[in-house]
Amino acid sequence: MSLSTPLHDYPASFPVARGMQRNFHFYLGPTNSGKTYEALQVLQQAASGVYLAPLRLLAMEVRDRLMEAGVPCNLVTGEERHWVPGARHTACTVEMMRPDQVVEVAVIDEIQMLQDEARGYAWTAAMVGVPAQQVFVCGSDAVTPVCLALLESLNEPWQLTRLERKTPLILEEHALCGERYNRARLKGKLQKGDAVIAFTRKDVLTLSARIRQWGLSVASIYGALSPEVRRTESRRFASGEADVLVATDAIGMGLNLPIRRVVFTTVHKFDGVASRLIGPTETRQIAGRAGRYGIYPTGFVAAVEADELLHLQHMLTTSDSAELQQLPVAANWPDIARLSQRVHTARIGELLERFSRQAMEGELFHLASAEGQIALGHLIDLHAPQMPLTDKFRFSCAPVSFDKRHEMDYFIQCLQAHAQHKRKRLPEEIAWLQSSGPQYLEQAEQFSQDISLYAWLAFKYPQTFPDGELVPVLRQRVSRYIEGALLTQAGYGDITRELYVYG
């Protein structure tokens, strides 16, 4: 079954960009090569522009940078809108790209995220549809061939500049624990300016607590933390208040931190299905954070075990070119509306499933994996079967994790409130937010996620979710509690690899 607008004609769904003569400038290279800095310099001088960020935290950083340079800049993410009077620049998350708003300069950051199964489609949309006279594409060289193939098909000119790293990156000769990892051997091996990498929340918290016991002050960054908390932790490390940073691969996404050495406590990462070895692109993105230009003359990379040091060496020297040959594309509302008319159903789960099974004609694009959205769609049909299809589609795009019970429970509450035309207030402040102990850290993280979903829905349905203006104050209180809890939490005793070895 085909749609009335063929999927291979995906570029036609961005008419403003198609009506322009855009010019592309690729600034490609490893971390600490200044590629994003160069593009932001052009953006800062432009009469109008947009910065498309991979993370809300980076959008906030660039907004602040432009404001400090005297350039009024809006901030737009799924959860917030900060409008500055007279601003003609906007820093936003890549999913919030406006295909109808023409600007002089656009910066698309971290282009290698095209490889991301869950979000790669947003970088495709940015490449194809951002309506800017000059488009600057920054990131690693991993996906360059498919990007250039796209521009050739669109008949849009491009220039490519490859930048070299500004400080050398050296892999240490010896693992911190020798041939085999040993907890006791790691003690005393960490230094001020180290970023200690783990890949789970529990490991980050456990290592943070342990390193504090060893006499070093610690900042912690992991995915469950809100951007506000991550920003505070980044500032603590950058200011020297924290000696060591313990973090997940969240630091690989463009965060500018004064890291002297990156220490991998493992080279295995759970990808949602199984544990796997980290690949060349992610290894370089994380390891490359060491040796911040202008602060350290050299960056160092270390592992805790000899075999892992060999893996890092291989990943840092092998090509990180991706096997990506087609650009991922996601369903949008017009696609789903047309399909609904053809198959005569308003069941969003079924429509998303049908759409995902369609083959895209041509060689440039393919349909991105939509398993999470499909699962959410079936849940929406179950709990709100009579809701209009437009609303069902919007709810299917909500920023929630289907495999996290708490998130889904709160999502269903919000869904049913809207379906039943009932107003849902912002969650009330909980008494333990006034406490100083760390025992409610996980609940606070979950509460923060509830607030984020409420903020996202409040922009779309202010009648149902009327407390959007109250979000910043409550979010700040939750963030302050989490920041305090991170300083005193005791971890979980053993990190993952110790449970495996000693369990």
Side-chain angles (χ1 to χ4, degrees):
M1 179 178 296
S2 62
L3 301 178
S4 56
T5 298
L7 288 176
H8 75 271
D9 199 20
Y10 174 75
S13 59
F14 298 95
V16 178
R18 297 290 74 74
M20 300 175 63
Q21 178 60 69
R22 303 184 303 168
N23 292 281
F24 276 75
H25 309 269
F26 288 84
Y27 284 174
L28 305 175
T31 53
N32 271 305
S33 59
K35 51 191 182 295
T36 304
Y37 172 83
E38 297 291 343
L40 290 179
Q41 289 293 103
V42 180
L43 177 66
Q44 186 174 309
Q45 299 300 320
S48 61
V50 61
Y51 170 73
L52 302 177
L55 296 173
R56 179 172 161 235
L57 182 56
L58 283 178
M60 293 162 67
E61 284 189 2
V62 169
R63 184 276 310 265
D64 290 349
R65 173 175 171 168
L66 291 178
M67 293 287 284
E68 289 169 4
V71 179
C73 184
N74 304 311
L75 175 68
V76 178
T77 74
E79 303 171 22
E80 63 209 319
R81 312 284 191 275
H82 293 303
W83 304 109
V84 177
R88 299 190 64 197
H89 287 69
T90 299
C92 64
T93 43
V94 65
E95 285 87 353
M96 302 304 293
M97 185 268 295
R98 286 276 304 271
D100 60 335
Q101 187 169 6
V102 176
V103 293
E104 182 180 329
V105 170
V107 176
I108 305 173
D109 208 357
E110 305 291 353
I111 190 61
Q112 71 277 357
M113 285 291 290
L114 277 168
Q115 303 170 80
D116 189 272
E117 289 188 6
R119 299 178 63 208
Y121 70 89
W123 276 262
T124 300
M127 284 284 294
V128 176
V130 68
Q133 296 165 18
Q134 307 293 330
V135 182
F136 290 81
V137 180
C138 305
S140 83
D141 213 2
V143 295
T144 306
V146 71
C147 291
L148 298 185
L150 169 67
L151 298 184
E152 294 291 346
S153 74
L154 297 176
N155 197 29
E156 293 186 314
W158 53 268
Q159 296 176 325
L160 194 152
T161 302
R162 287 188 169 90
L163 293 92
E164 298 296 326
R165 188 180 162 88
K166 293 182 178 293
T167 57
L169 186 65
I170 297 176
L171 184 66
E172 295 189 346
E173 291 185 16
H174 303 288
L176 297 186
C177 296
E179 287 296 315
R180 289 288 174 263
Y181 169 80
N182 181 285
R183 179 192 307 188
R185 290 189 199 133
L186 188 58
K187 184 177 181 180
K189 300 292 179 64
L190 299 179
Q191 307 165 7
K192 184 178 177 62
D194 281 348
V196 179
I197 306 301
F199 290 108
T200 69
R201 170 188 179 272
K202 286 187 175 181
D203 284 358
V204 168
L205 292 175
T206 301
L207 286 165
S208 294
R210 188 179 298 174
I211 294 168
R212 280 200 309 274
Q213 291 175 346
W214 292 346
L216 293 166
S217 54
V218 179
S220 308
I221 295 177
Y222 53 94
L225 298 178
S226 69
E228 289 80 12
V229 176
R230 282 191 247 177
R231 197 176 199 186
T232 298
E233 293 299 285
S234 297
R235 284 175 175 167
R236 290 184 57 243
F237 181 68
S239 68
E241 180 183 340
D243 300 320
V244 173
L245 174 67
V246 182
T248 62
D249 49 345
I251 68 162
M253 196 66 70
L255 296 183
N256 294 313
L257 296 165
I259 297 168
R260 175 184 172 273
R261 180 175 65 168
V262 168
V263 178
F264 287 84
T265 62
T266 180
V267 293
H268 288 85
K269 179 182 177 182
F270 184 73
D271 63 5
V273 178
S275 179
R276 61 167 178 80
L277 287 165
I278 55 175
T281 298
E282 56 197 331
T283 300
R284 292 179 184 191
Q285 289 298 116
I286 299 167
R289 298 297 157 197
R292 174 77 182 278
Y293 179 65
I295 298 177
Y296 295 110
T298 304
F300 295 91
V301 183
V304 297
E305 194 170 276
D307 287 348
E308 295 175 337
L309 204 59
L310 290 174
H311 179 73
L312 293 178
Q313 182 182 37
H314 181 55
M315 292 300 99
L316 291 171
T317 54
T318 191
S319 170
D320 69 339
S321 295
E323 296 182 0
L324 190 70
Q325 297 180 354
Q326 293 178 306
L327 296 162
V329 171
N332 56 34
W333 167 242
D335 292 330
I336 295 303
R338 286 192 293 268
L339 186 56
S340 174
Q341 292 173 355
R342 286 176 176 259
V343 301
H344 307 292
T345 183
R347 293 181 62 81
I348 187 62
E350 179 183 338
L351 289 168
L352 289 169
E353 200 162 3
R354 280 175 176 263
F355 186 86
S356 71
R357 290 199 298 263
Q358 294 180 119
M360 292 193 75
E361 299 178 36
E363 299 178 353
L364 271 176
F365 304 102
H366 74 95
L367 288 174
S369 172
E371 290 182 8
Q373 188 181 19
I374 291 169
L376 211 56
H378 288 308
L379 193 71
I380 292 165
D381 288 327
L382 177 66
H383 290 279
Q386 303 306 315
M387 199 162 70
L389 183 59
T390 51
D391 292 346
K392 285 184 176 182
F393 180 74
R394 286 196 191 100
F395 269 86
S396 78
C397 299
V400 294
S401 300
F402 192 79
D403 59 348
K404 294 184 179 177
R405 175 74 179 272
H406 177 87
E407 288 188 30
M408 295 315 303
D409 287 347
Y410 187 68
F411 172 79
I412 291 170
Q413 292 176 32
C414 293
L415 172 69
Q416 291 177 331
H418 185 69
Q420 296 165 12
H421 306 289
K422 295 180 179 178
R423 300 179 90 191
K424 186 167 182 61
R425 314 303 308 207
L426 186 67
E428 294 184 3
E429 184 172 332
I430 302 172
W432 50 255
L433 279 177
Q434 305 301 324
S435 68
S436 57
Q439 62 266 41
Y440 302 106
L441 176 59
E442 189 167 6
Q443 292 97 313
E445 292 169 2
Q446 294 171 345
F447 193 39
S448 181
Q449 187 61 42
D450 292 347
I451 295 169
S452 291
L453 177 60
Y454 189 96
W456 189 85
L457 290 167
F459 280 111
K460 293 168 174 55
Y461 303 107
Q463 295 301 316
T464 305
F465 307 96
D467 294 338
E469 292 184 357
L470 303 178
V471 164
V473 173
L474 183 57
R475 178 181 272 150
Q476 186 177 48
R477 289 175 181 164
V478 176
S479 295
R480 297 296 85 79
Y481 172 82
I482 292 174
E483 289 160 11
L486 288 174
L487 296 175
T488 56
Q489 62 82 30
Y492 292 85
D494 296 310
I495 61 175
T496 302
R497 69 180 306 151
E498 292 165 353
L499 293 171
Y500 177 76
V501 172
Y502 307 121

